[in-house]
Amino acid sequence: MRLARPLENLIDQLLKLPTIGPKTAQRLALYILKMPENEARQIAQAIIDAREKVAPCSTCGMLTDVDPCAICQDQGRDQRLLCVTEETSDVIALERTGFRGRYFVLNKNFHLMDGFNLDDLHLAPLIDQLASGKVQEMVLALNPDIDGEVLSRYLADLARPYQVRVTRLAHGLPVGGDIEFADEITLRRALEGRHDVQP
Amino acid sequence: MRLARPLENLIDQLLKLPTIGPKTAQRLALYILKMPENEARQIAQAIIDAREKVAPCSTCGMLTDVDPCAICQDQGRDQRLLCVTEETSDVIALERTGFRGRYFVLNKNFHLMDGFNLDDLHLAPLIDQLASGKVQEMVLALNPDIDGEVLSRYLADLARPYQVRVTRLAHGLPVGGDIEFADEITLRRALEGRHDVQP
């Protein structure tokens, strides 16, 4: 049996998305065909609206519908602390911790292994901020993988002329994690980062 | 931090879909914002096209973009065998088994528990087929739950005037299933349905 072509096409389109396999794509497509028509249209319209109205902030690179973004406009934030992340989703996670500095989002869309050009990163707005003299510390919140290592060194070099302290997030055991099951690199980092127990 | 409103809206829209939780919705939304613009538009357009061009077949109820659907038009199918399913997705599964009769899809969008009216099922095309005299056997391929039980009895009653044999899919242990872990209802059905071992 051949599926209706527009249904087949919808399944193919949904398969482009991460975490969606063939079974889920079929289930979602059939669900979309069964839900009220206006609700299905709202999903399509939300995709179009998001693409039309959301873009990286020209100052910090975070995805936003106002430019500069709400965080860049917020005068109550600590201007001395600049946190560099790979993605807007990392900012969302960091905001939940109560961090109230500012951000610079790299919008990194390559993997080191695939070969990439660091010039593609559009770092000019970051350099402007480092050169402004307001930033005292640049916190590198990059993923603990090879790309994160390479980028961290590259960004640390970039910051050197501007007398900005460069720090990185601590590595170690995740809270609730079990030493027995920690991989050796994480455990080595946890040992290197050991600190005094507060009395 | 407030997310960009169109991004927040896209996350809310994706949350309407089954199997999509808040974390996946955020991940999908951010992915959609990062993928090439025309690919994102293709997803939106596929939703709109599917809703505009796909509808239940007027003969069998299966979701199709041509009416009558390809299966109803297929003269090579056994017209004597009519298989009743709840959803188009069940037809897709049954086609994979090599079944080459015809179908009637109920497009059941209610649960017995929520209270429903059997008149909502649009059974007129099914009655037409039973009355045509071509159908010799109606195979009920309904889910093994309370709704499936009630519907099976209802449909068997419906077929009685037409001298059509009414059968149901066998219940029993799933292939590869373990007796130890089978629930008691499945195991009881497997016992009831026991058959002679072929020599």
Side-chain angles (χ1 to χ4, degrees), chain A residues 1 5-6 16 18-19 27-28 30 32-35 41-42 50-52 65 87 89 95 108, chain B residues 1 5-6 16 18-19 27-28 32-35 37 41-42 50-52 65 87 89 95 108:
Chain A
M1 183 188 74
R5 209 174 295 275
K16 287 186 200 164
T19 78
R27 184 168 172 195
L28 295 180
L30 288 168
I32 286 169
L33 282 169
K34 218 179 158 180
M35 70 198 304
R41 285 188 176 276
Q42 279 168 11
R51 287 304 305 234
E52 283 180 355
D65 56 341
E87 300 292 348
S89 51
E95 283 288 291
K108 170 176 165 297
Chain B
M1 182 188 76
R5 209 174 297 270
K16 287 186 199 164
T19 78
R27 186 169 168 195
L28 294 180
I32 287 169
L33 282 169
K34 219 181 157 180
M35 70 198 303
E37 164 116 33
R41 284 187 176 277
Q42 280 168 9
R51 287 306 303 235
E52 284 180 354
D65 55 341
E87 301 292 348
S89 51
E95 284 288 292
K108 168 176 168 298

Side-chain angles (χ1 to χ4, degrees), chain A residues 1-7 9-10 13-14 16-20 24 26-28 30-54 62-65 70-71 77 87-89 91-92 95-96 100 107-109, chain B residues 1-7 9-10 13-14 16-20 24 26-28 30-54 62-65 70-71 77 87-89 91-92 95-96 100 107-109:
Chain A
M1 183 188 74
R2 193 185 65 69
L3 286 179
R5 209 174 295 275
L7 170 56
N9 180 42
L10 178 54
Q13 292 298 328
L14 294 172
K16 287 186 200 164
L17 298 173
T19 78
I20 310 277
T24 305
Q26 180 185 302
R27 184 168 172 195
L28 295 180
L30 288 168
Y31 186 90
I32 286 169
L33 282 169
K34 218 179 158 180
M35 70 198 304
E37 163 113 35
N38 68 322
E39 288 195 23
R41 285 188 176 276
Q42 279 168 11
I43 299 175
Q45 194 56 48
I47 293 171
I48 292 166
D49 281 353
R51 287 304 305 234
E52 283 180 355
K53 296 176 187 160
V54 178
M62 196 175 75
L63 291 170
T64 176
D65 56 341
I71 291 181
R77 298 216 162 219
E87 300 292 348
T88 297
S89 51
V91 174
I92 297 170
E95 283 288 291
R96 280 196 220 107
R100 287 296 176 268
N107 289 314
K108 170 176 165 297
N109 53 5
Chain B
M1 182 188 76
R2 192 184 66 71
L3 285 179
R5 209 174 297 270
L7 170 56
N9 180 43
L10 179 54
Q13 293 297 330
L14 294 173
K16 287 186 199 164
L17 299 173
T19 78
I20 309 277
T24 305
Q26 180 185 302
R27 186 169 168 195
L28 294 180
L30 289 168
Y31 187 89
I32 287 169
L33 282 169
K34 219 181 157 180
M35 70 198 303
E37 164 116 33
N38 67 322
E39 289 196 21
R41 284 187 176 277
Q42 280 168 9
I43 298 174
Q45 194 57 47
I47 293 172
I48 292 166
D49 281 352
R51 287 306 303 235
E52 284 180 354
K53 296 176 188 161
V54 178
M62 195 176 73
L63 291 171
T64 176
D65 55 341
I71 290 180
R77 297 212 165 223
E87 301 292 348
T88 297
S89 51
V91 174
I92 297 170
E95 284 288 292
R96 280 194 221 108
R100 286 297 175 269
N107 289 315
K108 168 176 168 298
N109 52 5

Side-chain angles (χ1 to χ4, degrees), chain A residues 105-120:
Chain A
V105 181
L106 297 170
N107 289 314
K108 170 176 165 297
N109 53 5
F110 52 75
H111 289 288
L112 185 62
M113 294 304 190
D114 307 334
F116 68 95
N117 189 343
L118 287 167
D119 296 340
D120 293 341

Side-chain angles (χ1 to χ4, degrees), chain B:
Chain B
M1 182 188 76
R2 192 184 66 71
L3 285 179
R5 209 174 297 270
L7 170 56
E8 215 165 41
N9 180 43
L10 179 54
I11 292 171
D12 288 344
Q13 293 297 330
L14 294 173
L15 272 172
K16 287 186 199 164
L17 299 173
T19 78
I20 309 277
K23 283 206 169 181
T24 305
Q26 180 185 302
R27 186 169 168 195
L28 294 180
L30 289 168
Y31 187 89
I32 287 169
L33 282 169
K34 219 181 157 180
M35 70 198 303
E37 164 116 33
N38 67 322
E39 289 196 21
R41 284 187 176 277
Q42 280 168 9
I43 298 174
Q45 194 57 47
I47 293 172
I48 292 166
D49 281 352
R51 287 306 303 235
E52 284 180 354
K53 296 176 188 161
V54 178
C57 172
S58 58
T59 306
C60 77
M62 195 176 73
L63 291 171
T64 176
D65 55 341
V66 287
D67 193 14
C69 74
I71 290 180
C72 285
Q73 285 185 46
D74 183 354
Q75 296 300 323
R77 297 212 165 223
D78 190 341
Q79 309 288 317
R80 296 167 299 184
L81 259 181
L82 184 68
C83 181
V84 179
T85 74
E86 290 180 18
E87 301 292 348
T88 297
S89 51
D90 301 326
V91 174
I92 297 170
L94 286 157
E95 284 288 292
R96 280 194 221 108
T97 68
F99 179 85
R100 286 297 175 269
R102 295 177 63 239
Y103 297 93
F104 188 83
V105 180
L106 296 170
N107 289 315
K108 168 176 168 298
N109 52 5
F110 51 76
H111 289 287
L112 186 61
M113 294 304 191
D114 306 337
F116 68 95
N117 189 345
L118 286 168
D119 296 338
D120 292 342
L121 281 177
H122 305 296
L123 294 175
L126 174 61
I127 294 167
D128 286 349
Q129 290 185 59
L130 295 175
S132 73
K134 287 187 197 154
V135 178
Q136 291 179 9
E137 179 178 349
M138 175 166 76
V139 185
L140 302 177
L142 304 172
N143 286 326
D145 54 19
I146 296 173
D147 282 24
E149 293 295 326
V150 173
L151 276 170
S152 291
R153 283 170 204 192
Y154 183 81
L155 293 171
D157 284 347
L158 195 80
R160 195 156 299 145
Y162 307 107
Q163 316 264 315
V164 171
R165 182 180 172 208
V166 180
T167 58
R168 294 187 59 178
L169 294 188
H171 292 299
L173 294 173
V175 177
D178 195 321
I179 292 176
E180 182 181 355
F181 300 118
D183 65 283
E184 63 185 57
I185 299 173
T186 301
L187 204 50
R188 194 182 305 136
R189 292 287 181 84
L191 264 173
E192 287 165 4
R194 67 190 181 278
H195 48 75
D196 293 319
V197 178
Q198 299 303 322

Side-chain angles (χ1 to χ4, degrees), chain A residues 15-167:
Chain A
L15 272 172
K16 287 186 200 164
L17 298 173
T19 78
I20 310 277
K23 285 206 169 183
T24 305
Q26 180 185 302
R27 184 168 172 195
L28 295 180
L30 288 168
Y31 186 90
I32 286 169
L33 282 169
K34 218 179 158 180
M35 70 198 304
E37 163 113 35
N38 68 322
E39 288 195 23
R41 285 188 176 276
Q42 279 168 11
I43 299 175
Q45 194 56 48
I47 293 171
I48 292 166
D49 281 353
R51 287 304 305 234
E52 283 180 355
K53 296 176 187 160
V54 178
C57 171
S58 57
T59 306
C60 77
M62 196 175 75
L63 291 170
T64 176
D65 56 341
V66 287
D67 192 15
C69 74
I71 291 181
C72 285
Q73 285 185 47
D74 182 354
Q75 296 301 321
R77 298 216 162 219
D78 190 338
Q79 310 287 317
R80 295 166 300 183
L81 259 180
L82 185 68
C83 181
V84 179
T85 73
E86 290 179 19
E87 300 292 348
T88 297
S89 51
D90 302 326
V91 174
I92 297 170
L94 286 158
E95 283 288 291
R96 280 196 220 107
T97 69
F99 179 85
R100 287 296 176 268
R102 295 177 64 237
Y103 296 94
F104 187 82
V105 181
L106 297 170
N107 289 314
K108 170 176 165 297
N109 53 5
F110 52 75
H111 289 288
L112 185 62
M113 294 304 190
D114 307 334
F116 68 95
N117 189 343
L118 287 167
D119 296 340
D120 293 341
L121 282 175
H122 304 296
L123 295 174
L126 175 62
I127 294 169
D128 286 350
Q129 290 184 60
L130 294 174
S132 73
K134 286 185 197 154
V135 179
Q136 290 178 9
E137 180 178 348
M138 176 167 75
V139 185
L140 302 176
L142 305 173
N143 287 326
D145 54 18
I146 296 174
D147 281 25
E149 292 294 326
V150 172
L151 276 171
S152 291
R153 283 172 205 189
Y154 183 80
L155 293 171
D157 285 347
L158 195 81
R160 195 154 301 144
Y162 307 108
Q163 315 265 314
V164 171
R165 184 181 170 206
V166 180
T167 58

